[in-house]
Amino acid sequence: MDPPRASSPLEHFSLRHFAACFDGCRLPAAPLGPSWQVTWDLWERSGGPAKIAWLQLACAPQGAGRRLTVQFRKPAAGGALAIDGWLESAADALWTPQRWELTHQALGPDQRPLPETALQERGELRAGAVHWTVGQRAQVQAVSGPLVAEWGLFGALQQPALTLPSDEFWLLSRGGRTLKPGHRLRLVGQPSLHFGGRRVWREEERKLAAGSVYRPVEVVEDAQTEAFRVYEQLGSGTLPTCWWVSASGHLLAVASGLLCWVRRPTGGTP
Amino acid sequence: MRPNRRRFVQTGAAALGAAALPRAGAQARRPNLLLIVCDQLNLDGMSALGNPHVRTPNLDRLAARSTLFTESLSPNPVCSPARSALFTGRMPVETGVVTNDRPIRAGLPNLGEWFRANSNYTTAYCGKWHVPNGIFAKDFKGFTPLVGGGRQGCHDDTWVTTASEAFLRAQARRQEPWLLVSSYMQPHDICYWMIHPQTLVSDQPPLANLTTDLPALPPNHRSRPVGPARVGNGYTRFTTDEQWRYYLYAYYRMVEMLDQDVGRLLDALDETGQADNTVVVFTSDHGEGAGRHGNVQKWHPYDESLKVPFLISWPGQIAAGKRDSAHLVSLLDISSTFCDYAGLAPPPLARGRSVRPLAEGRQVEWRDHLVCEWQGDGRIVRTPRHKLVTYRGDPQVQLFDIVEDPWETTTLAAEARHGETIAAHQKLLAEWDRRMDVCPLG
């Protein structure tokens, strides 16, 4: 019996808008260890594909849980925007955030911080409520279910043997600052995907009676075939989002509407 | 009710004169002014107005502390023309911005320039501009641009909020009043669902688990009233009802993204202790087709495209939680309203009026009609009861009884008994056109 055919990103609704963004993409063969550092580029497809931001997460064990160090950069009109900080999470399936501290900062064209633009956000999950200090203001917001951090999911879903809880959860959106209720996450497929590689031009020979002729053709070299787990996330204030995690536990892509995070090949530098 | 030109002219002139007078207490510190403008939000795109398909706790919170005008119109339901009118108080035919991406006519001050020339207000702007030249101007007159914003609301709006928050915190330590415009992209991202339908909208609902969450189609989804040929230009059809419903689902999620940003902005206003001394206006440049009349996006003369939210709040000064459906208001009025609160006369020939007396519950004579533009030579005349849709050179017109037929499913234009109403509206339009200082287009 033939093995299941590997499909291309163009064949999947969540990825077909971003098929071109996987050029050059490659996942490492070895699974992640307990400590790791990975960078994802954020692509947008309102027109042709364009990288608009990047996110680097460094994970390290901390007690029974993990600590994610966050670095995010986004060019913007007249400068750039930055988020730096950390999130500490529990050791449960979706890495429930316990504490976090993030600094939001606008940078000028020279990448130096602009005055009066830094904002520090500190949060803690305690007794079913998020205790938040943003700038000078402290507030408490009750959450009526589990809490999941969007950036924490980048780590949690990379666990090789993951059993998803079925409960709806509250989502701490990227960069914190907002809580979105009524989110669901479920495994919706385990396809095999043929992706990445390099586009190169080759000469193709065509043999004729009088001899051979050659023409240039574009081919993809070094494309990779991997089995994936695909998780679908639905909930308020978020477009349907699909998380593509390889069977070996590498998060390749997070696709949602016009945006897709795509893992940068190992060794890529921000 | 038949429109009454004489009443309009009298009250309009009185308003201009009154706003030009120095107000009592002019030496006292004026309120701060925060304009939150979004892009492509329907009037009923918030749960406070009963929409069951969207959850907008922060817009609802703002509505609860605001007077909300429900007869609020965009002067021209396209981004740049509407924004040119919002920021100058002049109609798009006067600003020269009759289509997207055209610059505002030279010599017409925008709101920021007017404030800088005539007041001690600090003026700042963050996010989408789109008049003139480019969506995100980095250096334009009248405002200090804040770093933030980008082409996609789904990712970039959060930075508009972050920059606006930083501005609010910095201003809290200063004495001068400020005027801040926080200009969001959402829910405009939905435009890309039509630009890339082959990849963003599937033949079937793309995610099986969504089916029970998809909004129902609007009751006028299949209505196609006869009208000027251009009315049909905006029709775009998906193949299946499920595609339409998925489109609506995505639209409302974008509205919720906007809602979260508005919430952060309101929190920052509270946190910095400035909420009690800040007039907040929330609006949109135009609406969204949302499947009504089979439409997406804007451009068309129906209410889904034309009507926008218009909320104004000032704790203790403006009635909270009030719905005003008795007065026709426009984006044109925002410039004059802010001038009124700042103690300034509005810019010369401003077509709008300050809504301050309406918001503060004072009796005032108000306009009884408004004219809007659409697709270049299209015109819409709105009176309290009726709406006439015309297009220059096209003999076909539409007349809707907005009270009896709010979904605009039946045009009355072919019925002889409405001939007098049509003529009265056409007369109003001719008089309006005569008053316009039309910008010659290069």
Side-chain angles (χ1 to χ4, degrees), chain A residues 18-256:
Chain A
F18 303 100
C21 305
F22 293 96
D23 286 358
C25 196
R26 187 154 196 90
L27 294 180
L32 292 171
S35 297
W36 48 263
Q37 177 174 299
V38 178
T39 305
W40 290 267
D41 290 309
L42 182 59
W43 291 81
E44 70 88 7
R45 276 294 326 269
S46 58
K51 285 183 193 176
I52 61 166
W54 55 262
L55 168 70
Q56 186 173 82
L57 297 179
C59 179
Q62 174 156 310
R66 285 106 180 159
R67 181 183 172 99
L68 278 177
T69 303
V70 176
Q71 199 181 7
F72 172 85
R73 292 291 180 277
K74 157 97 176 70
L81 299 141
I83 301 177
D84 294 280
W86 51 265
L87 294 99
E88 290 176 359
S89 60
D92 52 16
L94 295 182
W95 289 18
T96 302
Q98 303 296 299
R99 281 169 294 281
W100 58 95
E101 191 170 306
L102 298 165
T103 301
H104 305 243
Q105 173 83 62
L107 311 176
D110 57 0
Q111 301 300 302
R112 291 185 181 173
L114 293 174
E116 298 186 317
T117 63
L119 175 65
Q120 193 174 57
E121 167 200 352
R122 292 191 303 276
E124 185 174 6
L125 179 64
R126 215 167 54 225
V130 172
H131 296 252
W132 240 330
T133 305
V134 180
Q136 301 300 313
R137 187 180 196 216
Q139 57 184 3
V140 178
Q141 187 169 349
V143 287
S144 54
L147 179 69
V148 172
E150 192 168 358
W151 281 347
L153 279 178
F154 280 72
L157 293 183
Q158 296 195 90
Q159 298 171 100
L162 175 64
T163 303
L164 279 183
S166 57
D167 301 342
E168 283 195 352
F169 56 86
W170 288 67
L171 186 73
L172 177 66
S173 68
R174 60 172 177 266
R177 313 294 307 284
T178 52
L179 288 172
K180 305 176 184 182
H183 277 250
R184 296 169 273 163
L185 190 65
R186 53 190 290 180
L187 181 68
V188 292
Q190 295 182 280
S192 183
L193 192 68
H194 191 63
F195 68 97
R198 293 177 297 127
R199 291 177 191 273
V200 295
W201 289 95
R202 290 270 182 263
E203 284 192 326
E204 183 183 75
E205 181 184 8
R206 186 176 173 200
K207 289 183 176 167
L208 303 173
S212 292
V213 293
Y214 296 86
R215 62 169 188 166
V217 292
E218 190 183 45
V219 296
V220 177
E221 285 186 342
D222 300 328
Q224 192 174 359
T225 300
E226 291 278 337
F228 279 87
R229 294 172 273 143
V230 182
Y231 301 99
E232 171 193 292
Q233 181 190 346
L234 302 174
S236 69
T238 302
L239 290 167
T241 302
C242 285
W243 300 73
W244 285 74
V245 187
S246 72
S248 57
H250 295 286
L251 177 62
L252 171 70
V254 187
S256 182

Side-chain angles (χ1 to χ4, degrees), chain A residues 13 16-17 42 44-47 52-53 72 74-83 104-108 114 116-119 134-137 139 170 173-174 176-181 184 186 188 232-242 256-259 261, chain B residues 55 61 136-138 146-156 158-159 161-163 165-167 169-170 173-174 189 192-193 195-203 206-210 212-213 246 249-254 256-257 260-261 264 266-268 270-271:
Chain A
F13 176 75
R16 66 189 187 195
H17 197 53
L42 182 59
E44 70 88 7
R45 276 294 326 269
S46 58
I52 61 166
F72 172 85
K74 157 97 176 70
L81 299 141
I83 301 177
H104 305 243
Q105 173 83 62
L107 311 176
L114 293 174
E116 298 186 317
T117 63
L119 175 65
V134 180
Q136 301 300 313
R137 187 180 196 216
Q139 57 184 3
W170 288 67
S173 68
R174 60 172 177 266
R177 313 294 307 284
T178 52
L179 288 172
K180 305 176 184 182
R184 296 169 273 163
R186 53 190 290 180
V188 292
E232 171 193 292
Q233 181 190 346
L234 302 174
S236 69
T238 302
L239 290 167
T241 302
C242 285
S256 182
L258 299 172
L259 300 178
W261 296 93
Chain B
R55 182 183 171 278
R61 168 162 59 121
F136 295 93
K138 295 174 188 169
L146 308 179
V147 175
R151 293 183 65 86
Q152 284 69 46
C154 55
H155 187 259
D156 296 314
T158 187
W159 306 107
T161 309
T162 300
E165 289 172 308
F167 174 86
R169 286 194 305 278
R173 297 189 288 270
R174 302 193 172 107
D189 281 3
Y192 297 106
W193 264 241
I195 294 170
H196 305 290
Q198 72 281 13
T199 51
L200 289 174
V201 184
S202 174
D203 293 342
L207 304 166
N209 301 319
L210 262 182
T212 55
D213 297 331
Y246 178 63
Y249 176 88
Y251 177 68
Y252 289 128
R253 301 294 78 74
M254 294 169 192
E256 289 171 349
M257 293 180 198
Q260 289 154 0
D261 280 298
R264 281 173 54 196
L266 297 179
D267 285 347
D270 291 338
E271 171 199 328

